Amino acid sequence: MRTTPPRARRAAGLTLAALALTTLVACSGDDGGEQPAAPASGAAGAAPAVELDAAGALAEVGEPLRVGVLVSLRSAPGEGQDVLTAAEGARVAAYRLGLGGADVELEVVDDAGTSEGATRAVADLVDAGVSGIVAASTGEHLQAAVDAAAGAGVPLLLPYERELTALPDGVWATGPSGDAVDQALLAAMGERGLERPFVVSADGVDVDGVGSADREDYTGDNLGAVVARATRAVEDGTADSVVVAASATSQAQVVAALQGRGSTAPVVLSPEALSPGFATGLTEAGGTPAGEFLTVGVDASDATTLGTSQRAEATASYFSALRLAAGDPELQDLFGSVPFADVAEGADTASHDAVLALAAAAVEAGSVEPADVAAALTGLTVDTSDGLAGPALDFADSQALAPDAVVALEATTQDPQVRPVAATEEEAAPRLYWFATAAAGR
C-alpha cells in the first residue's frame, strides 16, 4: 500500500519534578483560567519557525525525495503495531520540508509484522524508487527488512527497534540501543535506591541489564498469577519495585492489574511505555495513568519545549509544525485514508527525525539516488540545525544515537499544551507526558 501526499500548502505530578513541570505548563490568571506556557523560542504568542533551511537546498536537487515508510498495521504484540501512530511524525517532516518548497513523497507499505511481509515491503519500496527507508516498526521481523534493504543498496533507518545488532552497511539505528536502555534504566533505578526489582517480561521484550532473582514471564493467560506473585514479593520485602518489560499493550494490562490489587510499589517500564498506546490501554484495562512511572528514552517530547535550550527550541518547532499540519484540511494521514488531524495526537519525533536525516543526506549528496544518499549519510552528523527535534545523530556508527542521549524519564498527566487540541473532550485520548528528571541532570 502506497500513498503520495498532496503538496503541503504554505501556512503562515507526582514528584518534585512533576510539580515543577505543572508550574511551567500552566499559570492561573486572576480569573482562575489556565494559560498555556509561552513557547520556548521567544515572546509569548510567538510561534517557533517550522520551515527548514534544508528545504531550499533539497528543492535545488531537481527531483522529488521519495522516502519509504515501513509500518505494521496489524501485528503480534511487540512486532510494531504499538508504534503505528508514532510513525505519523514522518508526515510532519514531509510537511515541514514542503513548506520550504521541497518536493517530498512518502511511499508507505504495511509489512503485517512478519518476516515475509517485511521482505515484500522492502521489495515494493525499492520498485517504487525510494531514496531511503524509515522502518517505523519494531520486532524480530525487521531483520528481514534489514537484510533486504542492505541487499538492494537502499539506506534504511530504524528509529524504534533497539534489539537488532551487527547492522550491515547502509543500515542505522537512530533510536536508543538495547545496551543504552539497560544502562540508563540501571542508573535511574540506582539513583532512586531501587535495588531489588520484580521483573515481568513479555512479547520478547527484556531488559537484560536489570537482574533479579524474582522474574516472571507474562503470557496473556497468567495475569492474575504474575501480579499476585509480584505483589507478594513487594509486601514481603523481597522486592522494592516492579519492572515491566513488554509491549505497550501488555504493560498496560500488567500495570492495571497491579493497581487493582492496591500495589503502591514504584513501577519501572521499558521504553515501549512511551507509546500513546500505554496510557490508552491502561485506561481501557481499568487502570489509571495517574501513577508513578519511570522509564528511559530521549529528551524530545512535549515537556522538552518548556526549557530554554537550543533543543527546546527545536522541539518546539516540531510541535508548532504538528499543530499547523493538524490544521491543514487537505493533509491526510500516512495511508491517505483520514485527515491528518485524526492521527496527529500520536505522531512523535523519532520518525520525523529519521526522515529529516535522509533529507540532509540527499542535500549533502546533491542527489536522490539511493546509493548517493547512503554514501552521503555514512559519517554524516545531523542535528538541530538540520531540523531534528531530538538529539544529534552521528552516522559514523550504525548506532547513530549517542548512549548518553538516553536519560531517565518520568510521567505526568499534566498537559504542556503543545499538541493539537481534540475537537471535543470525548475525543481526547488518555495520555501521559514524559519529561527528563532532575536526577538525570536535565
Side-chain angles (χ1 to χ4, degrees), residues 4-440:
T4 300
R7 182 69 172 272
R9 297 184 300 127
R10 182 173 298 273
L14 298 173
T15 62
L16 290 177
L19 292 174
L21 174 62
T22 300
T23 302
L24 284 169
V25 169
C27 300
S28 296
D30 292 338
D31 60 356
E34 288 189 345
Q35 302 295 325
S41 60
V50 298
E51 292 186 18
L52 300 168
D53 292 340
L58 187 58
E60 292 177 2
V61 174
E63 296 181 73
L65 175 68
R66 190 168 289 115
V67 176
V69 182
L70 182 154
V71 299
S72 303
L73 270 175
R74 295 287 185 273
S75 74
E79 294 293 332
Q81 188 175 344
D82 281 346
V83 296
L84 179 61
T85 57
E88 294 290 345
R91 171 65 76 223
V92 181
Y95 183 80
R96 294 183 72 185
L97 290 164
L99 291 176
D103 193 354
V104 180
E105 301 173 357
L106 301 181
E107 299 283 339
V108 185
V109 179
D110 173 26
D111 69 5
T114 67
S115 296
E116 296 79 5
T119 300
R120 171 191 49 75
V122 170
D124 287 348
L125 291 173
V126 171
D127 289 344
V130 300
S131 302
I133 299 171
V134 175
S137 184
T138 60
E140 294 181 354
H141 79 279
L142 286 182
Q143 183 63 59
V146 166
D147 295 341
V154 176
L156 182 142
L157 307 187
L158 298 161
Y160 302 108
E161 170 56 35
R162 65 176 181 271
E163 296 302 334
L164 296 184
T165 58
L167 297 176
D169 290 344
V171 178
W172 291 269
T174 58
S177 69
D179 286 345
V181 166
D182 292 346
Q183 292 168 13
L185 272 177
L186 276 176
M189 292 171 66
E191 289 167 347
R192 291 157 180 79
L194 304 178
E195 300 176 346
R196 302 183 309 279
F198 186 101
V199 180
V200 180
S201 296
D203 311 321
V205 180
D206 203 353
V207 281
D208 296 330
V210 181
S212 175
D214 286 324
R215 302 183 71 89
E216 192 79 63
D217 289 331
Y218 169 51
T219 63
D221 298 324
N222 62 343
L223 179 60
V226 169
V227 171
R229 187 179 167 207
T231 303
R232 284 196 302 270
V234 173
E235 291 173 347
D236 294 344
T238 59
D240 57 13
S241 55
V242 179
V243 173
V244 186
S247 67
T249 301
S250 294
Q251 284 180 329
Q253 293 168 349
V254 172
V255 173
L258 284 167
Q259 291 176 340
R261 292 186 67 96
S263 174
T264 58
V267 175
V268 181
L269 302 165
S270 61
E272 282 71 17
L274 298 174
S275 164
F278 171 66
T280 301
L282 187 56
T283 302
E284 291 175 349
T288 173
E292 186 175 353
F293 305 122
L294 171 69
T295 189
V296 296
V298 299
D299 182 12
S301 62
D302 307 56
T304 310
T305 65
L306 303 178
T308 57
S309 65
Q310 186 176 23
R311 169 85 62 76
E313 293 186 2
T315 309
S317 292
Y318 164 81
F319 281 105
S320 184
L322 178 65
R323 294 192 300 273
L324 283 176
D328 187 337
E330 296 182 8
L331 196 65
Q332 300 288 300
D333 74 333
L334 284 174
F335 285 92
S337 58
V338 298
F340 177 75
D342 291 356
V343 297
E345 176 69 13
D348 83 350
T349 59
S351 55
H352 166 273
D353 286 4
V355 171
L356 291 189
L358 290 172
V363 169
E364 180 74 12
S367 166
V368 294
E369 290 299 314
D372 296 336
V373 172
L377 198 56
T378 303
L380 188 66
T381 297
V382 186
D383 56 25
T384 56
S385 66
D386 301 290
L388 296 197
L393 299 173
D394 182 357
F395 290 92
D397 192 286
S398 61
Q399 296 290 338
L401 183 74
D404 62 6
V406 184
V407 299
L409 302 173
E410 291 185 10
T412 178
T413 56
Q414 193 73 39
D415 186 356
Q417 301 180 6
V418 294
R419 290 182 181 270
V421 178
T424 65
E425 186 174 341
E426 289 74 18
E427 292 180 9
R431 190 174 185 93
L432 285 171
Y433 302 93
W434 298 88
F435 58 96
T437 68

